[in-house]
């Protein structure tokens, strides 16, 4: 080998080591540079967001909050209820329950308030996308549930109870089996009742949870605890046995509830989008969202991983509450009235448009998951990891939560976390 | 231009390899080390991490930011971290005099010290001693008593 070739080989070796080395440690987490993210098919190119929606979808919750705030001051904006719902989502992911309640309270008021006759006329005559946003049934259920969560975390247990009850009331499914089938509202209400030491009420709530989700292990564990605290050892034993048969992994908790733990509520992915139906383009339908997260694992340092199990799917909720037939009914009424007016006053024909309303609370999560994780009774680190359908870890979602303290189940902290991209960069949250 | 000589083709191959390596070096995923699984020690106790016995109340120059309930005050008295002659009402007055809000101020609970008027947390020079929300950066920074690097 000549000296020249040897020299060139050394240069190439240096470049290759720079490419692959870069101070890698075994615990390193890869982050793709923006310009190559699409090429390698992972991560998202980092483009500076120009709207609050883009900011939130890219994981910059604090930035999204700053951008959406000025929009909320315009009371004449027909999208105001939707902006408030979205603001509620943003504040929730920033751990600000007070602001979450401040946003969601007027939002649910607008979504459910009675309209005056003038407003009704405007709703019938105006373009669908130009009307005051009244939301969809599943959005009202979600809004009440999150408002209940916000109150519960502020220890306003009576207000929380009211909201969870309203969530159940608003859950009007298209079929009997879809009515009042939103398990998270019942589960959170049960946790609230445990905190309030109303064990009988807690048992009712958890019984509803296991009725809706019989394979949900945490539901059975909750029922077991509530029953034992309420003095019913028989139901406690039955529920405990069911929990042990479903728990993955089993054997992490003591039957007497003495194992200190923390409860995690994990919101994953994105809510369904509203699109025009492909046949007539006159009606709206729900489009199932696309996101990579398929599995969520939580691990306390020194402990075993616990999966956060899916308790609700917002696309399913959207598709089974109101939906297409409601749309048809509204359209028929509106089209009928518009048709009559334009036949009497032909010049109004162009004004009485009927654009399909494709607005929706799409930054709401696609899934709501829960897990109870054994955590020691002193400050401990808990890792959160997500995986795609093929079982590959998604580094962008990784979270490391410090100083989590375990307590007996009925006193356990409920820790809410939103899976957002670029989770390592906590400053943006 | 032809590259009939073996040595020319060898040069081309080497140059191409060098260029690809340079491109990979510039475009290779940057490996970002995770932060340590062991956080900084707890510098300030509060309701969400539990009271550390012996910690003096923050309002009296200590490191305890627990909500000043009657039970907590009784605990301070037992630990000897508040003056013996002080009453609970006098203790609460200290917070009012400094304009400090706590979880006892119901309307501010759950604000995670993000309120524009009272935030940030007293640990960082603000007027908010509301219990921070577990799982958030505010919570970690307050507990550690300093801004923790997130990367």
């Amino acid at each position: 080998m000549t000296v020249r070739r040897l020299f060139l080989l050394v240069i190439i070796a240096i470049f290759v080591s720079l490419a692959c080395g870069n101070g890698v440690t075994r615990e390193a987490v890869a982050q793709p540079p923006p310009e190559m993210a699409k090429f390698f098919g992972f991560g998202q190119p980092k483009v500076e967001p120009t709207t609050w929606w883009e900011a939130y979808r890219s994981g910059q919750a604090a930035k999204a909050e700053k951008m959406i705030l000025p929009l909320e001051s315009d009371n004449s904006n027909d999208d105001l209820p939707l902006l408030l719902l979205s603001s509620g989502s943003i504040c929730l992911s920033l751990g600000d329950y007070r602001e979450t309640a401040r946003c969601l309270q007027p939002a649910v008021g607008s979504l459910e308030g009675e309209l005056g006759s003038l407003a009704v006329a405007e709703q019938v005559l105006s373009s669908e996308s130009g009307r005051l946003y009244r939301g969809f049934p599943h959005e009202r259920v979600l809004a009440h549930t999150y408002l209940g969560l916000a109150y519960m975390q502020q220890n306003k247990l009576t207000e929380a109870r009211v909201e969870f009850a309203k969530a159940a009331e608003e859950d009007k499914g298209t079929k009997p089996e879809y009515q009042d089938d939103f398990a998270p509202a019942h589960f959170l209400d049960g946790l609230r009742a445990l905190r309030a030491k109303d064990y009988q009420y807690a048992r009712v709530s958890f019984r509803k949870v296991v009725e809706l989700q019989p394979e949900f292990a945490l539901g059975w564990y909750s029922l077991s605890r509530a029953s034992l605290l309420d003095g019913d050892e028989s139901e406690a034993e039955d529920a405990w046995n069911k929990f042990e048969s479903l728990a993955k992994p089993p054997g992490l908790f003591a039957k007497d509830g003495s194992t200190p733990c923390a409860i995690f509520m994990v919101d994953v992915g994105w809510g369904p989008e509203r699109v025009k139906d492909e046949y007539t383009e006159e009606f709206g339908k729900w489009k199932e969202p696309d996101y990579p997260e398929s599995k969520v694992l939580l691990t306390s340092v020194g402990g075993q991983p616990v999966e956060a199990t899916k308790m609700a799917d917002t696309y399913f909720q959207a598709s089974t509450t109101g939906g297409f037939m409601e749309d048809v009914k509204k359209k028929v009424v509106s089209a009928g009235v518009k048709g009559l007016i334009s036949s009497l006053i032909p010049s109004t024909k162009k004004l009485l448009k009927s654009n399909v309303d494709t607005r929706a609370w799409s930054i709401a999560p696609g899934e709501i998951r829960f897990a109870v994780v054994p955590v020691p009774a002193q400050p401990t680190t808990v890792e959160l990891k997500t995986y795609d359908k093929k079982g590959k870890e998604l580094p962008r979602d990784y979270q490391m939560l410090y100083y989590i303290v375990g307590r007996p189940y009925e006193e356990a902290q409920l820790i809410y976390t939103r899976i957002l991209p670029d989770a390592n960069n906590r400053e943006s949250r | 231009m032809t590259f009939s000589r073996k040595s020319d083709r060898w040069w081309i191959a080497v140059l191409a390899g060098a260029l690809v390596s340079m491109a990979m070096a510039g475009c290779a995923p940057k490996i970002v080390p995770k932060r340590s699984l062991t956080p900084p020690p707890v510098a300030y106790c509060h309701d969400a991490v539990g009271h550390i016995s012996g910690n003096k109340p923050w309002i009296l120059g200590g490191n305890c930011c627990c909500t000043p309930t009657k039970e907590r005050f009784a605990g301070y008295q037992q630990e000897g971290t508040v003056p013996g002659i002080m009453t609970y009402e006098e203790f609460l007055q200290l917070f009012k005099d400094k304009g400090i809000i706590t979880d006892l101020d119901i309307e501010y609970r759950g604000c995670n010290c993000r309120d524009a008027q009272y935030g940030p947390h007293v640990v960082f020079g603000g007027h908010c001693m509301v219990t921070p929300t577990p799982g958030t950066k505010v919570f970690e920074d307050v507990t550690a008593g300093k801004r923790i690097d997130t990367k």
Side-chain angles (χ1 to χ4, degrees):
Chain A
M1 188 179 280
T2 63
V3 171
R4 194 165 55 182
R5 285 184 187 181
L6 190 63
F7 176 73
L8 278 166
L9 277 171
V10 167
I11 296 291
I12 291 167
I14 289 170
F15 280 129
V16 168
S17 67
L18 279 176
C20 302
N22 212 3
V24 172
T25 64
R26 287 187 67 195
E27 289 185 338
V29 175
Q31 283 192 359
E35 61 278 6
M36 294 307 291
K38 258 189 171 169
F39 181 80
F40 284 116
F42 52 82
Q44 293 291 326
K46 282 187 186 162
V47 178
E48 206 52 41
T50 55
T51 64
W52 63 263
W53 190 88
E54 284 172 10
Y56 191 70
R57 294 280 295 219
S58 66
Q60 298 175 65
K63 186 172 246 177
E65 189 192 28
K66 284 192 182 111
M67 291 169 106
I68 202 173
L69 210 54
L71 303 175
E72 292 173 24
S73 58
D74 181 5
N75 285 330
S76 64
N77 187 349
D78 288 327
D79 290 343
L80 184 59
L82 182 54
L83 288 171
L84 289 170
L85 289 175
S86 304
S87 221
S89 286
I90 295 168
C91 294
L92 196 54
S93 60
L94 290 167
D96 191 340
Y97 295 113
R98 180 171 172 253
E99 274 302 292
T100 302
R102 187 195 68 80
C103 296
L104 293 182
Q105 210 170 7
V108 297
S110 291
L111 298 181
E112 295 166 8
E114 290 286 323
L115 294 176
S117 43
L118 201 63
V120 168
E122 193 201 1
Q123 291 280 80
V124 170
L125 294 173
S126 62
S127 160
E128 282 181 35
S129 53
R131 292 175 192 162
L132 175 68
Y133 189 73
R134 297 281 279 170
F136 296 91
H138 78 283
E139 290 178 342
R140 291 186 213 114
V141 174
L142 262 180
H144 280 298
T145 303
Y146 285 126
L147 186 50
L149 170 67
Y151 284 141
M152 189 166 101
Q153 298 292 67
Q154 292 178 283
N155 215 27
K156 294 177 180 174
L157 301 184
T158 307
E159 291 90 331
R161 179 179 174 170
V162 168
E163 292 306 321
F164 293 135
K166 284 183 179 172
E169 235 177 75
E170 284 294 324
D171 193 5
K172 300 175 180 82
T174 48
K175 294 178 185 175
E177 59 262 38
Y178 298 143
Q179 300 222 12
D180 189 17
D181 69 340
F182 191 62
H186 291 287
F187 182 69
L188 289 171
D189 202 12
L191 291 180
R192 176 210 58 79
L194 277 182
R195 283 190 193 181
K197 296 184 173 27
D198 188 350
Y199 302 125
Q200 233 176 24
Y201 190 105
R203 290 170 72 186
V204 170
S205 297
F206 293 135
R207 277 195 208 113
K208 182 70 179 178
V209 170
V210 299
E211 177 193 315
L212 292 170
Q213 306 258 334
E215 302 302 306
F216 185 64
L218 183 52
W220 291 104
Y221 181 69
S222 307
L223 180 58
S224 173
R225 287 303 304 140
S227 299
L228 199 62
L229 289 163
D230 199 30
D232 187 343
E233 289 187 14
S234 171
E235 183 166 42
E237 181 73 20
D238 290 342
W240 171 259
N241 290 335
K242 192 71 185 169
F243 162 69
E244 277 286 280
S245 70
L246 293 169
K248 287 172 192 159
L252 291 182
F253 295 92
K255 201 195 289 189
D256 63 2
S258 57
T259 310
C261 59
I263 304 168
F264 288 83
M265 178 176 176
V266 186
D267 277 356
V268 183
W270 306 107
E273 289 170 19
R274 195 105 177 115
V275 297
K276 291 182 193 178
D277 79 287
E278 59 266 27
Y279 303 109
T280 66
E281 292 198 348
E282 284 291 316
F283 301 101
K285 68 171 193 174
W286 295 107
K287 181 183 168 193
E288 193 163 6
D290 182 27
Y291 47 87
E293 294 84 0
S294 180
K295 189 175 185 178
V296 180
L297 287 181
L298 291 141
T299 317
S300 163
V301 166
Q304 293 192 56
V306 175
E307 185 172 354
T309 318
K310 182 163 71 174
M311 198 192 267
D313 180 319
T314 52
Y315 171 70
F316 175 81
Q317 289 296 317
S319 307
T320 56
T321 52
F324 187 72
M325 283 317 294
E326 287 295 316
D327 220 28
V328 168
K329 281 184 220 168
K330 285 179 196 170
K331 202 85 178 187
V332 163
V333 168
S334 176
V337 172
K338 284 176 184 169
L340 181 64
I341 293 175
S342 55
S343 67
L344 295 172
I345 312 168
S347 57
T348 58
K349 195 170 181 180
K350 274 187 187 167
L351 293 171
L352 297 174
K353 292 182 206 165
S354 185
N355 297 329
V356 174
D357 192 355
T358 54
R359 296 172 296 177
W361 188 9
S362 58
I363 66 164
E367 296 169 12
I368 300 174
R369 291 172 174 257
F370 286 91
V372 58
V373 183
V375 176
Q378 61 264 4
T380 308
T381 300
V382 175
E383 291 185 281
L384 183 151
K385 295 180 182 178
T386 64
Y387 301 83
D388 65 14
K389 287 189 181 71
K390 292 179 183 172
K392 190 181 167 195
E393 190 185 334
L394 300 164
R396 68 176 197 177
D397 292 342
Y398 176 80
Q399 290 185 39
M400 193 187 284
L401 308 171
Y402 282 158
Y403 309 119
I404 306 300
V405 175
R407 291 179 188 153
Y409 187 68
E410 52 277 13
E411 298 163 28
Q413 296 182 88
L414 173 62
I415 296 161
Y416 172 87
T417 185
R418 181 73 167 95
I419 303 292
L420 291 172
D422 197 19
N424 272 339
N425 186 6
R426 300 286 294 282
E427 282 294 335
S428 64
R429 301 182 60 195
Chain B
M1 190 196 295
T2 57
F3 301 101
S4 53
R5 280 171 44 186
K6 203 176 175 183
S7 61
D8 287 341
R9 288 199 289 272
W10 164 247
W11 273 104
I12 302 292
V14 162
L15 200 60
L19 286 172
V20 167
S21 299
M22 283 165 66
M24 292 290 290
C27 303
K30 287 182 177 51
I31 308 299
V32 176
K34 283 184 202 170
R35 54 183 189 159
S36 170
L37 285 174
T38 308
V42 174
Y44 290 86
C45 62
H46 50 76
D47 292 359
V49 294
H51 175 66
I52 295 175
S53 186
N55 267 9
K56 212 170 159 181
W58 176 86
I59 199 75
L60 294 175
N63 287 10
C64 176
C65 295
C66 292
T67 303
T69 58
K70 261 189 178 168
E71 293 77 23
R72 181 89 307 282
F73 182 71
Y76 291 141
Q77 284 180 317
Q78 274 183 348
E79 291 166 14
T81 47
V82 293
I85 54 166
M86 184 179 275
T87 64
Y88 178 56
E89 288 69 27
E90 285 167 349
F91 181 63
L92 284 185
Q93 192 59 42
L94 294 174
F95 289 89
K96 286 189 184 121
D97 291 344
K98 286 198 170 172
I100 306 290
I101 56 165
T102 70
D103 279 358
L104 295 179
D105 298 286
I106 297 168
E107 65 271 28
Y108 290 98
R109 277 186 207 157
C111 71
N112 208 19
C113 291
R114 301 178 76 246
D115 179 75
Q117 184 182 357
Y118 292 100
H121 197 274
V122 294
V123 163
F124 297 111
H127 290 80
C128 181
M129 212 175 82
V130 163
T131 305
T133 305
T136 64
K137 192 171 185 320
V138 170
F139 170 82
E140 292 177 358
D141 290 346
V142 165
T143 310
K146 60 179 181 179
R147 311 276 183 209
I148 301 179
D149 189 17
T150 54
K151 294 189 182 177

